[in-house]
Amino acid sequence: MAKTYKAVEVTAPGNLRIVERPIPEPDKGQVLIRVEACGICHTDSLTVEGQFPGLSFPRVPGHEVAGRIEAVGSGASVWSAGQRVGVGFFGGYDGHCELCRRGDFINCKNLTVSGISVDGGYAEMMLADANAVVSLPDSLKAVDAGRFSARV
Ligand SMILES: [Zn+2]
Ligand SMILES: [Zn+2]
């Protein structure tokens, strides 16, 4: 297996470049996804143009990801290698802030946002929190999954 993957990262507002990165091991609670398709959304321009508050560079945009689980970190065993999955704008929650303890995960004070606070899907590989990943049916093509998620 290749030891590197290609990613498109934003290095400064308006500046995109293709880079080769070492393939990471998923951390605790994470999965590594081999990206098959990623929708392009207008919201990505907040990353590309550096307009999202608190954004830091380099950052890989993209939050409409379809692919397959490549590797599973500890504590993420609800997923297994080879499963078809998607990741959206919601990139995960901390599980312990006041809002999370009320079950209001989407308003988590430490919400993770794919392609904004963590690297997204403009890449061949992507790390994602296991709790932000959704299952995709085999019958749904990766390109169509990205297109569908662009509407939500
Ligand atoms: Zn979007
Ligand atoms: Zn929280």
Side-chain angles (χ1 to χ4, degrees):
M1 195 175 89
K3 292 193 165 54
T4 60
Y5 69 100
K6 285 188 173 62
V8 177
E9 62 180 30
V10 182
T11 56
N15 188 16
L16 289 160
R17 68 175 184 185
I18 296 175
V19 292
E20 243 353 275
R21 293 180 171 188
I23 295 175
E25 291 285 324
D27 245 337
K28 185 173 184 230
Q30 287 186 324
V31 293
L32 178 66
I33 296 167
R34 181 174 293 277
V35 177
E36 295 173 346
C38 183
I40 293 174
C41 172
H42 182 68
T43 306
D44 297 338
S45 68
L46 296 177
T47 301
V48 174
E49 301 300 331
Q51 291 171 341
F52 202 89
L55 186 72
S56 65
F57 296 120
R59 179 62 71 226
V60 177
H63 57 267
E64 292 161 1
V65 183
R68 260 180 215 283
I69 302 268
E70 182 77 15
V72 176
S74 69
S77 58
V78 65
W79 300 107
S80 52
Q83 262 186 294
R84 297 199 71 231
V85 292
V87 190
F89 197 67
F90 176 75
Y93 56 92
D94 63 12
H96 55 73
C97 75
E98 186 182 338
L99 290 161
C100 280
R101 282 184 276 128
R102 291 179 182 186
D104 192 7
F105 308 119
I106 196 67
N107 289 310
C108 173
K109 287 179 178 168
N110 298 302
L111 187 73
T112 303
V113 181
S114 311
I116 292 177
S117 59
V118 294
D119 286 339
Y122 285 22
E124 293 172 325
M125 305 289 251
M126 176 188 170
L127 287 170
D129 273 13
N131 64 24
V133 171
V134 296
S135 181
L136 293 182
D138 282 333
S139 57
L140 184 61
K141 290 181 192 150
V143 169
D144 291 337
R147 190 178 302 147
F148 175 75
S149 92
R151 294 198 195 113
V152 293

